[in-house]
Every structure is written in C-alpha cells, then in structure tokens.
C-alpha cells in the first residue's frame, strides 16, 4: 500500500499515490490499491473542513486502516506533512508491517524517520529495496 498526503495538496497528492501504484505495477509488484474514486462516494479531496463530518471521517479512517491491514509493506511518500499518512505509518508499524519512507527531499522532523524501517531517496532505491524484501 502507498500512502501520502491527499487532503492538503488537493488532487496532486492523490495523483502521486496513483502514479506510484502504476510505477510499482510496471515493475512487477502487486499492490493493495486503497484509493477511493468519486463513484465510490468517499473522495474527500475537495473537502476543506471535516469538523462537521464525523461520520464521513470515521468511514474514511476505517476504510484506510483496513487496507493497511491487507498490505505487507507500506510505502509512505514524504512529500509534505499529512495527519493521515502519519497515523497509517504508526498503525502499520504497530501491526508489524514493514514501512518504507520515500523521502526525495530533506525531512525536517524525526517522526517519520523513527517509525520507518527503511528510508529511500528515490524510486530506484525503492525498487531495489522491494526486491530485497521480496527475496527474504
């Protein structure tokens, strides 16, 4: 499963995740695609304030965490801060999942580093690491 900022970057973050899914599939990896589509009724990329949406919030969080449970490895795209990504990484780590942080740029906080098993700086390192993990 790939996670990254969606809410704060409008659709760009969702595109980053979808692009990473496509890239990983093109390299022969199976993915757990958790991205919701508009037709599924849970696309929240245009919502700017969840304070009056507790039911939708609960539905989205439960949905995302179910997909974390299904994944063997979590790839966290560290292109900008994200509450959701942080919680997904924490949940994955506490569930015994391997967490890979894809950090192309400097990371100005220790939190994602601490909860990641591996840190890669580009897609080539990511693919190399995933092959290593696949062969263990």
């Amino acid at each position: 499963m790939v996670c990254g900022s969606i809410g704060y970057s409008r659709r760009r973050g969702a595109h980053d995740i979808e692009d990473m899914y496509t890239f990983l599939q093109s390299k022969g990896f199976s993915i757990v695609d958790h991205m919701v589509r508009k037709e599924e009724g849970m696309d929240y990329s245009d919502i700017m304030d969840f304070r009056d949406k507790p039911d939708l919030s609960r539905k989205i969080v439960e949905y995302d965490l179910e997909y974390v449970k299904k994944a063997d490895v979590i790839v966290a795209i560290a292109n900008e801060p994200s509450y959701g990504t942080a919680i997904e990484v924490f949940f994955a780590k506490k569930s015994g999942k391997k967490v890979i942080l894809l950090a192309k740029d400097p990371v100005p906080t220790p939190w994602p580093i601490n909860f990641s098993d591996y840190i890669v700086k580009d897609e080539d390192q990511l693919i190399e690491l995933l092959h290593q993990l696949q062969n263990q």
Side-chain angles (χ1 to χ4, degrees):
M1 182 177 141
V2 176
C3 54
S5 180
I6 293 176
Y8 299 106
S9 56
R10 299 299 81 181
R11 290 301 298 164
R12 190 189 90 227
H15 287 301
D16 289 347
I17 295 169
E18 291 166 345
D19 290 348
M20 182 57 67
Y21 280 148
T22 300
F23 173 72
L24 292 172
Q25 287 177 310
S26 77
K27 298 296 184 180
F29 293 99
S30 299
I31 62 163
V32 175
D33 184 350
H34 77 295
M35 293 300 293
V36 295
R37 308 305 187 267
K38 283 208 181 283
E39 60 272 9
E40 295 169 334
M42 286 193 342
D43 178 357
Y44 60 90
S45 61
D46 60 343
I47 298 173
M48 298 300 291
D49 187 355
F50 277 91
R51 289 178 291 182
D52 64 345
K53 296 172 179 49
D55 293 336
L56 177 60
S57 296
R58 189 174 304 102
K59 184 177 177 182
I60 291 167
V61 169
E62 289 173 357
Y63 177 91
D64 284 356
L65 293 181
E66 280 303 311
Y67 278 84
V68 171
K69 290 177 188 175
K70 294 177 183 180
D72 296 321
V73 175
I74 303 298
V75 176
I77 300 173
N79 55 359
E80 59 188 300
S82 167
Y83 290 117
T85 301
I87 296 298
E88 290 166 346
V89 165
F90 180 80
F91 184 83
K93 184 74 171 171
K94 293 300 180 185
S95 299
K97 310 291 182 174
K98 295 292 183 195
V99 176
I100 302 171
L101 184 69
L102 173 58
K104 295 180 180 181
D105 297 317
V107 178
T109 175
W111 291 89
I113 305 303
N114 184 69
F115 286 98
S116 298
D117 297 295
Y118 307 96
I119 300 150
V120 297
K121 296 180 180 178
D122 59 39
E123 286 85 355
D124 291 337
Q125 289 180 352
L126 175 62
I127 295 303
E128 182 178 331
L129 175 58
L130 287 170
H131 281 300
Q132 290 172 8
L133 293 173
Q134 198 173 42
N135 293 327
Q136 287 183 351

